[in-house]
Amino acid sequence: MLSGLLGGALIGAAATLYWVATGRTAGVSGILGGALREPQARAERLAFLAGLVAAGLIAALASGRASASVTATPVLLVAGVLVGFGTRIGGGCTSGHGVCGVSRGSLASLVATATFIATGAVTVAIASRVLGAGGAP
Amino acid sequence: MSGRVIATFAAGGLFGVGLVISGMTEPRNVIGFLDFFGHWQPRLIAVMGGAVAVYAGLVALIVRAAGARTARLLPARNNRIDTSLVVGSAIFGVGWGLSGYCPGPAIASLGSGARGAFVFVAAMIAGIVAAGVVRSRAAGCETTSP
């Protein structure tokens, strides 16, 4: 729990730095969507994404292993499309709605966060029984 | 390279380190949080709580120190609850539960060379492009209405 709080605090500090630098919310799905579609501010969005990748690289070098996906490739493909589509239609993901929006007291972000946690929980409950994969490790 | 680009690279790096330290780049930890009816792991609450507290606190401090000029630059607070917000978030949650990946941890995991992350991110980009097509069609309909 302590590592969760510490990591969360760093995420909050990073979101603040992104807002100070750009005036925009540090929502990862929004940053990726913007980098793909909008020519303006593309460099600073790509730089944020490159920073994320660099952190993963350093973590893998430090620990000597990659994060292990628990999911089969066809399921990952379906999940990726749903996450990309859903976050753009819904206007945000765990960072944009869950952290930044909730911090700003946005009712819409609270509703969005409650919604994706609820459907995520139902999905895990069904997948752990039907697929036998995922669910409880 | 502009200072702004260096700052957003640093922000991305810090964000990624936070995800790694909190264990959120491990899909099993995220699925463990969503497993309310099995072996529930509450850690994601600490991650979100820590992030919300620090972001809200720092933004409030900065606005107070810099005055009204900064307050006007605050990201707009979205209070519009509509069908696309709820339906989109519901669809996102299904993909999140199936994989244990949301956009931030998935992109950070590209750096660790996790094969699943590459598959997931490629599919996620396809989903983003599809949403752009759907939304621009919807916007086209709106502009033709009186």
Side-chain angles (χ1 to χ4, degrees), chain A residues 30-117:
Chain A
I31 292 172
L32 178 58
L36 288 169
R37 282 202 319 277
E38 296 169 21
Q40 71 271 27
R42 181 168 276 158
E44 60 201 55
R45 288 187 168 115
L46 288 175
F48 179 88
L49 300 173
L52 270 181
V53 175
L57 175 64
I58 291 167
L61 292 175
S63 69
R65 63 193 189 85
S67 68
S69 174
V70 293
T71 317
T73 299
V75 181
L76 276 176
L77 281 170
V78 172
V81 170
L82 293 177
V83 168
F85 187 82
T87 52
R88 294 321 299 141
I89 296 291
C93 60
T94 343
S95 49
H97 279 314
V99 174
C100 298
V102 167
S103 297
R104 299 269 302 119
S106 157
L107 192 60
S109 290
L110 270 174
V111 168
T113 305
T115 303
F116 60 67
I117 289 177

Side-chain angles (χ1 to χ4, degrees), chain B residues 85-98:
Chain B
L85 177 95
V86 174
V87 171
S89 298
I91 292 171
F92 162 44
V94 173
W96 193 35
L98 281 175

Side-chain angles (χ1 to χ4, degrees), chain B residues 13-141:
Chain B
L14 196 59
F15 202 108
V17 170
L19 289 173
V20 169
I21 287 179
S22 57
M24 293 300 106
T25 50
E26 293 289 344
R28 69 176 60 228
N29 289 337
V30 175
I31 290 174
F33 167 74
L34 293 173
D35 196 12
F36 291 99
F37 310 105
H39 302 274
W40 186 56
Q41 300 170 23
R43 191 184 337 183
L44 196 137
I45 290 179
V47 181
M48 272 191 149
V52 165
V54 168
Y55 184 70
L58 286 178
V59 167
L61 276 177
I62 289 167
V63 167
R64 187 185 293 181
R69 205 182 130 267
T70 308
R72 279 206 302 277
L73 295 176
L74 276 174
R77 191 184 330 202
N78 175 18
N79 277 325
R80 185 156 163 245
I81 299 163
D82 54 17
T83 312
S84 64
L85 177 95
V86 174
V87 171
S89 298
I91 292 171
F92 162 44
V94 173
W96 193 35
L98 281 175
S99 61
Y101 277 132
C102 54
I107 292 168
S109 297
L110 294 177
S112 73
R115 203 184 64 86
F118 283 88
V119 173
F120 181 88
V121 169
M124 182 169 73
I125 288 172
I128 289 172
V129 171
V133 172
V134 169
R135 286 205 306 190
S136 61
R137 280 205 187 143
C141 291

